[in-house]
Amino acid sequence: MGLWATAACAEAENADVSKSDEIIVTAGKRDISLQDLASSVSVISEANIVGAGISDITDFARTVPSLSFTDTGPGQVKPVLRGIAESGLLTSNVQATVAQYIDEMIVSDSAGAQLNLKLFDVQRIEVLRGPQGTLYGGGSMGGAIRFITNQPQLDRFAATVEGTLSSTHKGAENFGINAMLNVPLIADKLAVRGVFYTRQDDGYIDNITLGKDNINNENTWGGRVSVLAQLSENFDATATLIRQTTKSDAATNRYSRDVGDLVSLYPTEERLDDAITVANLTLNYDFGGAKLTSSSSYLWGKRNLDFSYAETGEVNTMAMFGFASFPNTSQGFYETKDRVFTQEVRLASKTGGDTDWIVGAYYQHIKNSFFNDVTNPELFDHPIFGTYFLVPLDEAGPNLRPIVLREDVEKRTEQLALFGEFTWHFAPEWSIVVGGRAFKTKFRRETLQAGVTPIVLGSGSPYIVGNKTKETRFTPKVQLEFRPSSDLLFYALASQGYRVGGVNPTDPLAGASLPPDFQSDSLWNYEFGTRAQFLDGRVTLNAAAFYMDWTDIQVPLPSPSGFALIGNAGKAHSAGIELELSARPTDMLELGLSGAWIEAELDETTAGLGTKGDRMPATPEWSGSAYAQLRVPVKDEIEFVSRLDYQRVGKSYLTFTPLADTRIGDYGVLNARIGLEGNNWSATVFANNLTDERPALTSFRIVTLQTTTLRPRTIGITLRKAF
């Protein structure tokens, strides 16, 4: 879908194609020009978000060096940076390796609440490659992605309305509506900015077992309200509330690849409801020589999945629970809830002197709960279990039903950290940076299981167990910078990143043979990079080479009862080269090229992972992208705009072991856009996945080959009007 800026940003779009354009970023938690930032950071400006029609992370991931992803369905997009991938990528029992932020709000620390934000009225996207352990803490071992939204404007009224209509090959029609309103309530003192969007994307997978077409539809609506108060010349406060909900008739976008094109045999009726809300209060006080920032965030996440298995299908689900003779008519309810409170306070010095510094404190409390209920009315006829565990349909209801499995899990994680960075400009061209983060983390898990399944497994019912653990660690950073001129920067750094540990469920059949908890894993990153501009800023070249050493990897452990257990074992490395090149030969033409080569492999054979030399999951050896955008004046203040984007992704595997059934990637995607653009309006025709490719984004076998793929060729039009 297309995405256009507000009227206030139309001038910024024109400025982005000038040779003197400067992008200001806050990746280092202070304002700095991108070309002055000694770090491997990619920025997608609002102009490029608009120009490429980027609507979520799956649209821009292929354009950023070393960034890949897996996508199994709504709210299940998992980014991977530099090959540092979760073990198997299909488990949610470990912290993500890429942190995701919306402004000051972290939205990725909870495995059940990964927010795939729909992008509208977003100022820029910052992708920080490599471990960000000092400033961003746990979960940023591979890097971080930051979505920086447009803030309320105190001095002007602005509004935008946008509509998109499209059609998908082998699917049906899709539409989207976006709106933004900025209102100064008190001139130069108080303003509010509101954003609303809705996306109705029709499905493109036909379930021939259930007799339903286009089953993987996705309906999303959301919004954002921000209030900015300039309380004094030195003191400001911003309150933000974000809400996004998604509903679908399929929890995943899998289809049976070896059966037919975009057809599924999955024997399950599903209804998915996914919602996330994030609230934040950010306070800034400028002391003159330093700036104090306080960020308080609270995240609510909830995912509900209702399901019922058809009597016929590729898998007899009752056989999984030891009752193969019973009809496959189980019904169930799956729910995850996430509550995350985060508080950060930091003090950053002004830049421009001989030294720069930033110090801060961080606190986070995470509560994850998981509830799973599977029932089967046929168990009433079982001679033994027919009278076991009959429970009301609801707490007050008189109706009874036999439970196959009821599972209620609650996990709590509490983290406290102190961090800081110090920069010494010891010569006009040289600087050295040292930093570190000390943290203490506590974990607790409580599990209740009831029903027929725990009896079959031998644990009894109800089965209740609790585990807890804690750990303390320190992650350092050191960096050397050399600036021979204002247009050329070299840097070398060594930094450490980490991912917090956790507590395992107790397997009743394993006893004490499996670990009750797992510790954090960490990696060292050694990197050399450069940022350069030529021809008065018309050509920009950014490049980096890195080597990362990963130890104590969090790995899945085999469990007699099939529980998702994690342990620490194994070593791996990731080495690579990243390149970004952009050029503006004329004021009308903009060209871009980016790419990465990555060798990410296990360094030793590890049970639960793979053998020495196996590649990291979802990490292609080669990937790259290119684009060309042309603006031609037509008359008065109207321009004809055309753009081509091509992205190429090499092959990889969803698992460490290179199995044919888990091979993914090895594809190219071509997108095209043409349109007319005036000062406050635009009309754009677009075609995404122009050649209608069917690559595997995820792939594994459960009887048939379960595969997710790109949305088929989609052609549409976007109209926008700004006021």
Side-chain angles (χ1 to χ4, degrees):
M1 291 185 180
L3 177 65
W4 290 96
T6 65
C9 294
E11 296 178 1
E13 291 177 26
N14 292 332
D16 274 353
V17 299
S18 72
K19 64 181 181 180
S20 60
D21 176 47
E22 182 181 38
I23 299 176
I24 302 299
V25 298
T26 53
K29 298 203 171 181
R30 65 170 84 235
D31 293 342
I32 187 173
S33 170
L34 175 62
Q35 290 306 113
D36 290 334
L37 183 63
S39 180
S40 184
V41 176
S42 294
V43 174
I44 305 172
S45 67
E46 185 168 23
N48 276 322
I49 293 173
V50 169
I54 293 172
S55 63
D56 61 28
I57 189 173
T58 63
D59 290 330
F60 72 80
R62 288 178 292 266
T63 69
V64 177
S66 297
L67 176 59
S68 58
F69 68 94
T70 61
D71 181 6
T72 57
Q76 299 174 75
V77 178
K78 292 189 175 183
V80 177
L81 275 166
R82 290 185 170 178
I84 307 304
E86 298 174 38
S87 304
L89 287 167
L90 296 177
T91 177
S92 60
N93 200 34
V94 296
Q95 189 180 33
T97 60
V98 177
Q100 296 185 60
Y101 284 78
I102 303 174
D103 297 324
E104 293 282 347
M105 298 164 276
I106 187 167
V107 294
S108 61
D109 258 13
S110 178
Q114 295 285 335
L115 175 59
N116 185 15
L117 179 69
K118 303 303 180 183
L119 301 178
F120 179 68
D121 196 43
V122 172
Q123 184 185 94
R124 66 184 183 275
I125 303 166
E126 300 177 358
V127 182
L128 292 66
R129 292 183 292 272
Q132 308 296 320
T134 300
L135 295 182
Y136 291 91
S140 61
M141 190 163 60
I145 301 174
R146 305 180 70 233
F147 302 94
I148 310 301
T149 64
N150 285 313
Q151 296 301 297
Q153 295 174 290
L154 295 170
D155 59 350
R156 61 172 297 163
F157 170 88
T160 301
V161 178
E162 173 189 274
T164 297
L165 181 65
S166 65
S167 179
T168 297
H169 177 54
K170 292 204 170 183
E173 285 67 46
N174 322 290
F175 75 89
I177 298 174
N178 301 320
M180 183 281 298
L181 179 65
N182 185 95
V183 180
L185 301 178
I186 302 176
D188 299 324
K189 296 292 184 182
L190 183 67
V192 61
R193 191 181 192 97
V195 173
F196 169 79
Y197 55 85
T198 180
R199 312 284 170 86
Q200 310 293 319
D201 293 327
D202 195 66
Y204 48 85
I205 295 174
D206 298 336
N207 191 310
I208 58 179
T209 298
L210 302 177
K212 291 188 174 183
D213 295 339
N214 302 336
I215 196 169
N216 63 319
N217 56 68
E218 184 176 334
N219 301 322
T220 300
W221 71 267
R224 180 180 79 248
V225 177
S226 297
V227 178
L228 170 61
Q230 190 69 48
L231 302 175
S232 71
E233 182 180 355
N234 300 325
F235 186 30
D236 65 77
T238 303
T240 302
L241 181 66
I242 297 174
R243 171 78 173 180
Q244 180 169 296
T245 67
T246 300
K247 298 181 182 294
S248 178
D249 290 328
T252 70
N253 292 331
R254 300 190 310 235
Y255 74 99
S256 304
R257 190 184 186 102
D258 50 356
V259 174
D261 185 30
L262 302 178
V263 297
S264 173
L265 298 181
Y266 194 56
T268 310
E269 295 265 10
E270 295 177 330
R271 178 63 182 174
L272 174 69
D273 292 298
D274 198 3
I276 189 169
T277 304
V278 190
N280 174 265
L281 176 64
T282 298
L283 307 175
N284 293 297
Y285 190 88
D286 192 340
F287 290 99
K291 182 179 180 181
L292 179 66
T293 299
S294 170
S295 173
S296 308
S297 299
Y298 196 83
L299 179 149
W300 302 262
K302 185 175 182 180
R303 166 170 287 220
N304 292 337
L305 175 63
D306 292 290
F307 58 89
S308 61
Y309 295 104
E311 292 192 10
T312 60
E314 57 190 4
V315 179
N316 185 342
T317 55
M318 288 305 294
M320 297 179 181
F321 298 103
F323 306 105
S325 62
F326 285 86
N328 193 26
T329 56
S330 295
Q331 297 178 340
F333 175 74
Y334 171 102
E335 178 182 80
T336 61
K337 292 182 179 179
D338 302 277
R339 303 290 185 267
V340 183
F341 172 74
T342 305
Q343 174 66 54
E344 179 173 298
V345 178
R346 62 181 183 268
L347 184 66
S349 69
K350 293 293 185 181
T351 59
D354 291 336
T355 60
D356 306 323
W357 49 265
I358 181 171
V359 294
Y362 177 90
Y363 173 80
Q364 185 178 65
H365 183 274
I366 304 175
K367 178 183 176 182
N368 309 122
S369 61
F370 164 84
F371 182 79
N372 186 26
D373 197 11
V374 181
T375 66
N376 190 316
E378 303 297 335
L379 284 179
F380 274 119
D381 298 327
H382 195 281
I384 298 177
F385 300 121
T387 58
Y388 271 68
F389 312 113
L390 302 181
V391 298
L393 289 171
D394 53 66
E395 293 182 0
N399 296 322
L400 301 178
R401 56 181 178 172
I403 299 176
V404 177
L405 174 64
R406 169 169 289 180
E407 189 173 23
D408 195 349
V409 178
E410 181 179 289
K411 298 186 293 182
R412 293 178 183 266
T413 304
E414 189 175 27
Q415 182 178 172
L416 179 64
L418 300 174
F419 63 89
E421 279 192 0
F422 178 83
T423 303
W424 178 30
H425 307 287
F426 61 90
E429 299 172 344
W430 293 89
S431 303
I432 188 170
V433 181
V434 293
R437 189 182 189 97
F439 67 93
K440 182 178 181 179
T441 309
K442 298 179 181 179
F443 313 96
R444 188 177 70 187
R445 178 185 179 118
E446 295 179 353
T447 303
L448 180 147
Q449 289 185 338
V452 174
T453 300
I455 293 180
V456 175
L457 294 177
S459 59
S461 180
Y463 174 69
I464 304 174
V465 67
N467 291 322
K468 63 181 180 180
T469 188
K470 61 183 178 180
E471 68 173 325
T472 301
R473 294 194 63 166
F474 176 77
T475 56
K477 171 185 177 180
V478 61
Q479 179 171 305
L480 184 66
E481 305 172 8
F482 175 55
R483 290 181 170 85
S485 72
S486 60
D487 292 329
L488 185 60
L489 165 67
F490 297 98
Y491 68 90
L493 70 86
S495 60
Q496 192 177 34
Y498 70 96
R499 175 173 51 168
V500 301
V503 178
N504 281 318
T506 298
D507 189 330
L509 299 186
S513 63
L514 292 175
D517 54 63
F518 55 97
Q519 299 302 301
S520 62
D521 53 356
S522 62
L523 60 78
W524 273 99
N525 174 58
Y526 309 96
E527 181 175 333
F528 175 80
T530 183
R531 292 186 176 277
Q533 288 189 322
F534 310 97
L535 301 178
D536 197 20
R538 287 189 177 273
V539 177
T540 299
L541 173 66
N542 298 324
F546 64 88
Y547 181 89
M548 298 198 291
D549 188 18
W550 190 4
T551 58
D552 296 325
I553 302 174
Q554 294 175 4
V555 302
L557 300 176
S559 164
S561 301
F563 293 165
L565 302 181
I566 304 296
N568 293 94
K571 297 180 180 179
H573 75 271
S574 178
I577 299 173
E578 301 160 341
L579 175 70
E580 292 179 296
L581 177 66
S582 63
R584 298 182 176 111
T586 70
D587 289 341
M588 294 189 296
L589 180 62
E590 181 178 353
L591 304 173
L593 178 69
S594 66
W597 168 82
I598 298 178
E599 179 195 77
E601 299 176 345
L602 284 176
D603 291 335
E604 61 184 28
T605 299
T606 305
L609 287 184
T611 59
K612 181 179 179 180
D614 285 348
R615 288 189 61 82
M616 296 291 198
T619 305
E621 183 177 9
W622 293 95
S623 62
S625 67
Y627 75 89
Q629 180 169 286
L630 180 67
R631 291 176 173 268
V632 180
V634 178
K635 58 177 296 185
D636 298 330
E637 296 179 335
I638 299 176
E639 291 183 322
F640 170 78
V641 182
S642 62
R643 180 176 176 123
L644 280 177
D645 285 88
Y646 180 75
Q647 297 126 25
R648 181 69 194 177
V649 178
K651 75 173 182 178
S652 60
Y653 295 87
L654 192 63
T655 53
F656 283 90
T657 303
L659 304 174
D661 288 345
T662 63
R663 176 170 167 164
I664 60 177
D666 195 15
Y667 66 95
V669 182
L670 180 64
N671 300 327
R673 303 172 66 82
I674 58 172
L676 295 175
E677 185 174 329
N679 278 338
N680 58 4
W681 63 270
S682 64
T684 305
V685 176
F686 63 89
N688 294 333
N689 192 7
L690 189 60
T691 55
D692 202 28
E693 300 297 319
R694 295 282 190 280
L697 302 183
T698 62
S699 181
F700 54 90
R701 182 173 293 278
I702 303 180
V703 182
T704 61
L705 192 59
Q706 304 291 311
T707 303
T708 60
T709 190
L710 295 172
R711 174 171 285 272
R713 180 174 56 245
T714 299
I715 299 175
I717 185 171
T718 296
L719 303 176
R720 183 268 299 174
K721 174 67 175 177
F723 303 90

